[in-house]
Amino acid sequence: MCIAFVSGMVVLAGLGFIYSGYYPMGADSKHTKLTYWALETLRERSISRAAQNIEVPADLDIPARLLRGGSDYAAMCAGCHLVPDKMNSDFTLGLYPEPPNLTLNHSGHDEPKVVQAREYFWIIKHGIKASGMPAWGAGHTDEQIWNLVAFLQRLPELSPEQYQILSAQGSSSSRNH
């Protein structure tokens, strides 16, 4: 009986806080450490679970995928996730949480390349709620998304000149729609 009462009070207090409007929702106001941890953990675990059974194509390393993915990255992603030798943009400065700079080697993530590919595919296809990351699957084929994944896996290795060459081919999205 006492546990039910305490649980009910916690739920009511939580609802009271939610409806109070006291939590700052502006993108220029950082989350508390606990909130940030909870949201990050929820996002990472959810994506990992959702992507675990995605079958990765064996031909992700072929040059044609890299070229097609590069042009789509320039058209769809570079504004948020940047280009080599660029650390921010007016757009990224105003987003919270700030989108990851995909040109950097995120070596802190020691996941196998296949796991990274699955998660990139899932994120690109389905997006991430309340983050600014759209679900590109609504207007792009799985093949186009895999091309983009192939490019993302090589992006941290590219020089600005290599990026320019690979991204200047004309968007495969515009050719296929």
Side-chain angles (χ1 to χ4, degrees):
M1 180 69 113
C2 185
I3 292 174
F5 177 75
V6 171
S7 296
M9 293 305 294
V10 169
V11 168
L12 286 176
L15 287 172
F17 178 72
I18 290 169
Y19 278 97
S20 74
Y22 282 120
Y23 192 85
M25 290 305 294
D28 56 354
S29 177
K30 307 281 188 223
H31 290 301
T32 66
K33 286 183 181 188
L34 177 62
T35 302
Y36 190 81
W37 171 84
L39 292 172
E40 287 281 302
T41 302
L42 175 63
R43 184 190 73 220
E44 294 300 319
R45 294 300 309 139
S46 176
I47 292 167
S48 178
R49 185 205 50 77
Q52 68 187 354
N53 294 323
I54 293 174
E55 191 170 327
V56 178
D59 66 347
L60 276 189
D61 290 333
I62 64 172
R65 282 196 183 276
L66 196 60
L67 287 169
R68 290 184 194 116
S71 58
D72 278 348
Y73 181 86
M76 298 162 30
C77 312
C80 288
H81 298 289
L82 306 172
V83 300
D85 282 351
K86 191 164 185 180
M87 297 311 292
N88 59 46
S89 69
D90 286 344
F91 196 62
T92 61
L93 291 173
L95 288 175
Y96 184 77
E98 187 174 321
N101 181 343
L102 297 179
T103 69
L104 301 177
N105 187 355
H106 298 281
S107 58
H109 299 108
D110 294 329
E111 60 210 14
K113 223 172 177 179
V114 70
V115 171
Q116 182 188 53
R118 287 180 184 134
E119 290 182 3
Y120 275 158
F121 180 85
W122 190 92
I123 290 167
I124 295 164
K125 184 167 184 164
H126 300 284
I128 300 174
K129 291 178 183 177
S131 74
M133 177 63 194
W136 291 106
H140 296 79
T141 65
D142 284 358
E143 186 72 15
Q144 289 171 304
I145 294 171
W146 281 119
N147 292 338
L148 192 50
V149 169
F151 181 78
L152 289 174
Q153 289 193 313
R154 295 290 304 277
L155 181 59
E157 305 163 13
L158 300 178
S159 70
E161 296 77 20
Q162 291 169 321
Y163 172 82
Q164 188 65 35
I165 291 166
L166 291 173
S167 64
Q169 300 297 318
S171 171
S172 67
S173 296
S174 62
R175 287 193 306 267
N176 293 335
H177 288 287

